[in-house]
Amino acid sequence: LSSAGAFSFDSRRFVYTVQSQGRRVVRIYSFADSKDEAFSIEDETFRDSLFGIENPRFSPDGTRLVFTGVKEGQRDLYIATIDSLRGLLTQIEQLTNDFYSDIHPSWSPDGKCIAFSSDRGTETDFSRMIYSTMRIALYCFHNRTIEVLSDQEEKGKYINPVWSPDGKWLAAISDRTGI
């Protein structure tokens, strides 16, 4: 069993994924209504091509989700609008689309950037199938660029970035000391 969930910024809802009919689907639990609802992707072609959805996270205003989508063995970042009236995820936008693995997205409290783990790095050589260890990177909406954060040692993985509530700090799990 593999799943991860997250509270909305206002702590009124919880989003998570479950396995259903061989695919991951998004569920959102509302604490105010004591209601658990399934959300499917509106675009049937896109829904059929996306094998899995992992690590969904709410946007600060609670209207959208960022998640890792698994498509043809690749893990990329996507955002979707939550249509609660119809139980659908609409307006799907793929943020990353390359050979790098992009996982564990985390929306900044101001909504301007998404931190995530990626194997982007100087060690990656796709022609020889060599990949860098996981690093924390930022996707920023104002210029739609990806920046791998500096000061991450080449030895050790950095995963599961989490923003401080004021957005000034990022924390991540790392095994850089061998633990």
Side-chain angles (χ1 to χ4, degrees), residues 56-155:
R57 299 291 184 265
F58 285 101
S59 62
D61 66 5
T63 62
R64 297 182 293 167
L65 295 176
V66 61
F67 59 89
T68 297
V70 182
K71 184 177 181 181
E72 298 175 0
Q74 291 296 124
R75 283 175 163 74
D76 285 302
L77 301 182
Y78 297 81
I79 57 173
T81 298
I82 303 166
D83 182 341
S84 296
L85 295 176
R86 298 187 299 152
L88 294 173
L89 298 178
T90 64
Q91 301 172 15
I92 308 292
E93 180 183 351
Q94 189 169 355
L95 301 180
T96 61
N97 186 10
D98 50 42
F99 291 112
Y100 296 106
S101 183
D102 301 325
I103 60 175
H104 306 146
S106 178
W107 223 305
S108 65
D110 64 8
K112 294 180 180 179
C113 294
I114 293 171
F116 61 99
S117 300
S118 179
D119 57 6
R120 298 162 196 276
T122 57
E123 299 168 347
T124 298
D125 182 348
F126 294 122
S127 66
R128 297 185 320 157
M129 306 259 324
I130 297 172
Y131 300 93
S132 288
T133 56
M134 300 305 280
R135 302 278 179 264
I136 303 304
L138 292 180
Y139 177 94
C140 292
F141 289 98
H142 72 279
N143 60 6
R144 298 195 171 270
T145 60
I146 296 170
E147 172 193 0
V148 177
L149 299 181
S150 60
D151 296 329
Q152 296 178 77
E153 298 173 25
E154 285 300 314
K155 293 182 180 178

